């Protein structure tokens, strides 16, 4: 111990006066105890300000910040989940019965009225509701989730093959002089603000889609997917090219020694060996696409009501009332989750039901991003193990 146990018994039980404090400390601590205590404090400070301590502090702070963001979103979304626990249409029915009185009562006393609701049931009702109409107290975000998945899925479907083939060309077929010019330009595109991409989409992509498919409005999911694909291409190309270039040269030389052509070597040796890095590039691209707001808000059309059509998928009973055709999926205006938050947060008052619903959308978006990252980590880990067994 850093204090003397024997001297501890000599401490008077009564509260000491100011003049007696030093004498009491002399009973508790010895010079050797104080010396050990000072050495321990100095050691703690040295360890804290060492490179190991500072890096650990940064890692811990990032974890704390992420946890605080999740806590804030959950705290603000919890009242909304409790209100939704009684069904997707209960708020709407009460609003229809008395629209003038209901909005004020729910916004001000909603926690008292619905505080006993099951948040988990409310969460399920919230994410499975098919109508998003805050003015009529309909808070179902399934159209918003589907709109987000349509845009992100379309962007990945366009950008992934183009990005990977471009990375293969830069790493394997392109000369060093051309590569030294192209790669900085590609990485420079990643720094262009999203509002600039939105303006490019409005002036070029939207009229093009409108003319090709003879639409009344070219602001569709396909237009947003094309712009998002252009925005995430630099991420896929740059990281994939680094992963392909990091493959040991011995792999390529061994393949050539066995008589394989350059294309066969790229397809059967280099790409499998770089699969983990390419998967990481795709994960970062998906995260960028999911979180994109301004370009999607300007191009997607801002209409969450036109993507759900009943009885279009009779061969899938689970999706019977949410069936789609390809045309309705990509050639109709949509409203992704991020665009909904950005467009409507300025129209709400703090603490209202609409405000809570928008923060609940943010919480759901956080959960979706976490699930995608978790699945991607598992995929990358399996790719890495497969490559190690193969090579």
């Amino acid at each position: 111990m850093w204090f003397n146990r024997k001297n501890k018994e000599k401490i008077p039980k009564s509260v000491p006066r100011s003049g007696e404090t030093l004498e009491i400390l002399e009973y508790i601590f010895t010079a050797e105890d104080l010396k050990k205590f000072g050495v321990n404090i100095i050691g703690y400070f040295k360890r804290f300000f060492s490179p190991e301590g500072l890096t650990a502090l940064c890692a811990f702070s990032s974890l704390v910040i992420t946890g605080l963001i999740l806590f804030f979103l959950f705290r603000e979304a919890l009242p909304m989940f409790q209100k939704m626990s009684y069904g997707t249409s209960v708020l709407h029915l009460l609003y229809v019965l008395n629209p003038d009185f209901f909005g004020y009562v729910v916004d001000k006393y909603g926690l008292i009225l619905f505080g006993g609701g099951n948040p988990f049931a409310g969460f399920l009702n919230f994410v499975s509701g098919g109508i998003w109409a805050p003015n009529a107290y309909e808070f179902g975000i399934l159209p918003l989730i589907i709109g987000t998945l349509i845009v992100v899925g379309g962007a990945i479907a366009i950008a992934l093959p183009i990005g990977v083939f471009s990375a293969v060309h830069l790493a394997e077929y392109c000369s060093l002089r051309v590569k030294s010019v192209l790669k900085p330009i590609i990485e420079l595109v990643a720094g262009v603000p999203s509002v600039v991409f939105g303006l490019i989409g409005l002036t070029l992509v939207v009229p093009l889609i409108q003319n090709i498919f003879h639409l009344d409005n070219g602001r569709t999911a396909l237009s947003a997917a094309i712009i998002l694909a252009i925005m995430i291409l630099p991420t896929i190309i740059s990281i994939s090219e680094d992963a392909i270039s990091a493959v040991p040269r011995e792999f390529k030389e061994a393949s050539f020694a066995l008589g394989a052509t350059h294309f066969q070597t790229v397809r059967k040796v280099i790409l499998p060996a770089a699969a983990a890095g390419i998967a990481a590039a795709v994960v970062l691209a998906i995260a960028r696409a999911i979180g994109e707001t301004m370009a999607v808000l300007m191009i997607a059309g801002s209409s969450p009501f036109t993507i759900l059509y009943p009885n279009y998928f009779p061969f899938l009973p689970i999706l019977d009332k949410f069936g789609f055709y390809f045309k309705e999926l990509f050639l109709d205006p949509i409203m992704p989750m991020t665009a909904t938050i950005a467009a409507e947060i300025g129209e709400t008052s703090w603490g209202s039901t609409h405000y809570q619903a928008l923060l609940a959308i943010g919480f759901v978006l956080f959960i979706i991003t976490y699930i995608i990252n978790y699945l991607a980590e598992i995929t990358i880990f399996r790719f890495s193990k497969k490559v190690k067994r193969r090579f």
Side-chain angles (χ1 to χ4, degrees):
M1 297 294 291
W2 58 272
F3 62 88
N4 194 339
R5 287 182 175 272
K6 296 181 179 179
N7 293 337
K8 184 179 178 182
E9 299 175 355
K10 300 180 181 180
I11 302 176
K13 297 182 179 180
S14 60
V15 178
R17 300 176 184 177
S18 59
E20 300 176 351
T21 304
L22 184 59
E23 298 178 1
I24 294 175
L25 289 177
E26 291 178 355
Y27 283 117
I28 301 175
F29 303 105
T30 63
E32 186 178 355
D33 293 333
L34 292 176
K35 184 178 179 181
K36 291 181 180 179
F37 181 70
V39 170
N40 290 335
I41 292 296
I42 294 174
Y44 291 147
F45 273 98
K46 287 183 177 180
R47 187 180 303 173
F48 181 79
F49 288 103
S50 65
E52 180 184 356
L54 292 177
T55 53
L57 178 64
C58 293
F60 181 73
S61 62
S62 63
L63 180 63
V64 170
I65 292 172
T66 305
L68 290 177
I69 292 174
L70 180 61
F71 172 76
F72 167 77
L73 291 175
F74 179 75
R75 186 192 66 179
E76 297 296 329
L78 182 60
M80 188 64 208
F81 295 150
Q82 291 176 331
K83 294 175 184 178
M84 292 293 294
S85 63
Y86 297 96
T88 57
S89 301
V90 170
L91 297 179
H92 174 69
L93 291 176
L94 295 176
Y95 173 77
V96 171
L97 293 176
N98 197 339
D100 297 330
F101 179 69
F102 174 73
Y104 171 78
V105 171
V106 169
D107 290 343
K108 191 167 184 179
Y109 303 104
L111 188 60
I112 299 175
L113 295 175
F114 302 99
N118 186 348
F120 181 73
F123 175 81
L124 295 180
N125 291 332
F126 185 67
V127 299
S128 62
I131 300 177
W132 174 260
N135 294 332
Y137 282 83
E138 288 277 6
F139 297 102
I141 67 167
L142 184 60
L144 310 182
I145 295 175
I146 295 176
T148 301
L149 296 179
I150 290 171
V151 174
V152 174
I156 293 297
I158 296 172
L160 181 58
I162 298 176
V164 174
F165 291 155
S166 301
V168 170
H169 179 77
L170 287 176
E172 294 296 325
Y173 298 101
C174 190
S175 64
L176 292 178
R177 179 179 298 179
V178 177
K179 179 180 177 181
S180 62
V181 175
L182 286 180
K183 191 170 182 181
I185 295 176
I186 292 172
E187 293 175 348
L188 185 63
V189 175
V192 177
S194 59
V195 66
V196 176
F197 284 106
L199 292 174
I200 294 174
L202 284 177
T203 56
L204 296 178
V205 179
V206 169
L208 183 64
I209 296 297
Q210 184 175 357
N211 294 331
I212 290 176
F213 295 98
H214 306 288
L215 303 174
D216 296 332
N217 183 11
R219 298 174 63 189
T220 61
L222 182 59
S223 303
I226 293 173
I227 291 299
L228 271 185
I230 297 174
M231 294 178 67
I232 65 178
L233 265 177
T235 302
I236 297 178
I237 294 175
S238 180
I239 300 178
S240 298
E241 193 275 332
D242 292 337
I244 293 172
S245 299
V247 175
R249 187 173 182 83
E250 290 79 4
F251 290 3
K252 184 190 299 186
E253 294 175 351
S255 178
F256 288 157
L258 293 175
T261 63
H262 197 175
F263 176 74
Q264 291 173 336
T265 301
V266 169
R267 185 170 63 93
K268 295 186 177 181
V269 176
I270 295 178
L271 285 181
I278 296 174
V282 174
V283 171
L284 293 177
I286 292 175
R288 170 76 189 276
I290 290 179
E292 181 53 46
T293 302
M294 185 55 64
V296 175
L297 178 62
M298 297 171 66
I299 301 172
S302 303
S303 178
F305 305 105
T306 58
I307 66 170
L308 299 181
Y309 293 89
N311 302 320
Y312 274 5
F313 254 0
F315 54 93
L316 287 181
I318 298 177
L319 299 177
D320 184 37
K321 62 177 180 177
F322 301 121
F324 326 107
Y325 284 141
F326 177 83
K327 180 178 181 299
E328 279 75 16
L329 275 178
F330 289 98
L331 299 182
D332 275 354
I334 62 170
M335 175 74 92
M337 301 168 71
T338 53
T340 303
I341 298 173
E344 300 181 6
I345 194 66
E347 304 172 358
T348 63
S349 58
W350 186 86
S352 64
T353 304
H354 191 185
Y355 172 84
Q356 294 169 353
L358 293 178
L359 289 179
I361 293 176
F363 176 77
V364 174
L365 188 62
F366 189 98
I367 297 299
I368 292 175
T369 305
Y370 175 80
I371 293 174
I372 291 176
N373 288 336
Y374 178 74
L375 295 177
E377 288 292 335
I378 295 176
T379 304
I380 293 173
F381 178 73
R382 290 182 177 178
F383 267 128
S384 301
K385 290 183 64 177
K386 185 177 180 180
V387 170
K388 288 179 180 179
R389 289 197 304 267
R390 184 172 181 179
F391 296 100

